[in-house]
Amino acid sequence: MKPLEQTTLPPTPVQGTPDATGQIDDLLALMARLRADCPWDKKQTNHSLIPYAIEEAYELGEAVQADDDEDIKGELGDVLLQVVFHCQLYAEQGRFDMSDVIATLQEKLIRRHPHVFEAETLTDDAAVKARWDEIKAEERRVDEARGKPRRRLDATKAGSALMQAQSVQSQASKLGFDWDGIEGAIEKLEEEIAELKQIIPADGHKPDAALKAELEKELGDCVFGLVNVARKLSLDAEAATLTCVHKFKSRFGYIEAQLAQLGKSLEDSDIEEMDALWEAAKRHERSS
């Protein structure tokens, strides 16, 4: 998790340190105490917590891949914290609480497993998946009957921004909203990059709030366009980006290791030296 901001405030009156009991009710009470007494927790909103929820889900995935029990317990706890935190905030708004969330989950699990709790017999996981999809479709029809709008792209997958972008584009393509070849996607990407370049401030000029909002929009258009190029090439934009991230970390680690052999740290180096070592890292990759 991100470290809490350092804020100078009068100390919280001592009320005793709670025990780690492993009980959900005690965890909920602890969260309520943090909301009352912690300056950082006090100022959070459901929207401000979104990046943390996404980050913690990814960190859990990494911990499971590493198969380290202590890391997994810690990351599962961090994911649970996000659930508890959101529930506390919504409870404060008088909308619902943790018991409502648990009951909704229980109802969903029971409803989507008729082969477990009713007389239905499904013989393999493929049949279970097909029945699950049928039940989800029925749930959507019920939502529509209750007046909840359903648009054609609402069924696209959740996930990271890259995953959602590719899913939305794929679904739109199935509905006929797409270029025949990759040329149109590339031209659109170049158009978006040109629009971004037009509003980038000169070096040393910090954008104001209005320009930052415009830059964010134009940058998002560029990323979306690049994802579209990946899709047209039958590539997974998320996987491609993760490959790049791991490659960058590996090369930067090479720079750090080479500097250490010279008795230097990253802080002792400059961009010219690091760039030369970056090129050496690329040559090292090709020779490995």
Side-chain angles (χ1 to χ4, degrees), residues 17-30:
T17 303
D19 295 324
T21 64
Q23 301 301 310
I24 187 66
D25 286 345
D26 292 335
L27 175 60
L28 296 174
L30 174 58

Side-chain angles (χ1 to χ4, degrees), residues 149-156 168 171-172 174-175:
R150 177 175 177 266
R151 299 167 298 182
R152 297 296 291 275
L153 295 185
D154 286 345
T156 52
V168 164
Q171 184 64 24
K174 293 176 183 176
L175 298 171

Side-chain angles (χ1 to χ4, degrees), residues 13-274:
V14 175
Q15 299 179 21
T17 303
D19 295 324
T21 64
Q23 301 301 310
I24 187 66
D25 286 345
D26 292 335
L27 175 60
L28 296 174
L30 174 58
M31 186 71 251
R33 166 85 178 276
L34 295 177
R35 276 287 289 173
D37 292 347
C38 173
W40 188 87
D41 290 314
K42 278 182 179 180
K43 73 176 187 179
Q44 299 311 308
T45 67
N46 293 107
H47 285 276
S48 74
L49 290 176
I50 290 173
Y52 299 104
I54 295 170
E55 178 184 344
E56 300 302 357
Y58 276 106
E59 290 183 358
L60 172 59
E62 292 178 1
V64 171
Q65 290 286 353
D67 200 28
D68 183 289
D69 285 0
E70 291 304 311
D71 282 349
I72 294 170
K73 285 191 293 183
E75 297 303 339
L76 281 169
D78 288 343
V79 171
L80 178 58
L81 168 61
Q82 296 303 309
V83 176
V84 170
F85 209 149
H86 278 282
C87 286
Q88 173 66 28
L89 293 174
Y90 283 118
E92 292 171 9
Q93 298 164 36
R95 297 169 65 176
F96 56 82
D97 60 16
M98 176 63 88
S99 63
D100 297 312
V101 172
I102 294 174
T104 299
L105 173 59
Q106 290 171 318
E107 291 168 359
K108 181 188 293 184
L109 290 174
I110 294 168
R111 183 173 64 250
R112 293 187 181 180
H113 289 80
H115 54 289
V116 174
F117 303 109
E118 299 176 16
E120 287 190 18
T121 301
L122 301 177
T123 57
D124 55 36
D125 60 339
V128 170
K129 175 64 168 59
R131 186 70 177 99
W132 180 282
D133 290 340
E134 290 176 2
I135 295 170
K136 287 178 65 176
E138 178 57 33
E139 290 171 354
R140 286 193 292 269
R141 285 191 288 272
V142 171
D143 286 339
E144 290 173 24
R146 291 173 178 167
K148 182 178 180 179
R150 177 175 177 266
R151 299 167 298 182
R152 297 296 291 275
L153 295 185
D154 286 345
T156 52
K157 295 179 180 178
S160 71
L162 291 179
M163 294 166 66
Q164 290 191 56
Q166 193 147 353
S167 178
V168 164
Q169 292 168 2
S170 296
Q171 184 64 24
S173 178
K174 293 176 183 176
L175 298 171
F177 192 73
D178 197 3
W179 290 280
D180 291 334
I182 194 173
E183 292 79 9
I186 292 177
E187 288 176 5
K188 184 63 175 175
L189 173 60
E190 292 172 342
E191 174 188 322
E192 300 295 358
I193 292 174
E195 291 179 3
L196 173 64
K197 290 169 70 175
Q198 287 178 358
I199 64 170
I200 292 177
D203 285 346
H205 291 73
K206 187 175 181 180
D208 58 20
L211 180 54
K212 282 186 72 173
E214 190 66 19
L215 285 165
E216 183 179 83
K217 183 180 71 117
E218 295 296 344
L219 182 64
D221 289 343
C222 292
V223 174
F224 195 82
L226 191 56
V227 171
N228 212 15
V229 172
R231 180 183 63 86
K232 299 295 283 186
L233 292 171
S234 299
L235 298 174
D236 186 305
E238 180 81 8
T241 306
L242 285 174
T243 297
C244 180
V245 169
H246 290 303
K247 180 173 62 178
F248 185 93
K249 290 168 67 175
S250 175
R251 290 178 181 175
F252 204 80
Y254 180 90
I255 293 173
E256 193 171 7
Q258 293 300 307
L259 287 172
Q261 289 184 14
L262 298 173
K264 301 175 68 173
S265 68
L266 292 167
E267 290 75 15
D268 299 326
S269 184
D270 56 29
I271 184 60
E272 288 78 14
E273 184 176 28
M274 286 193 282

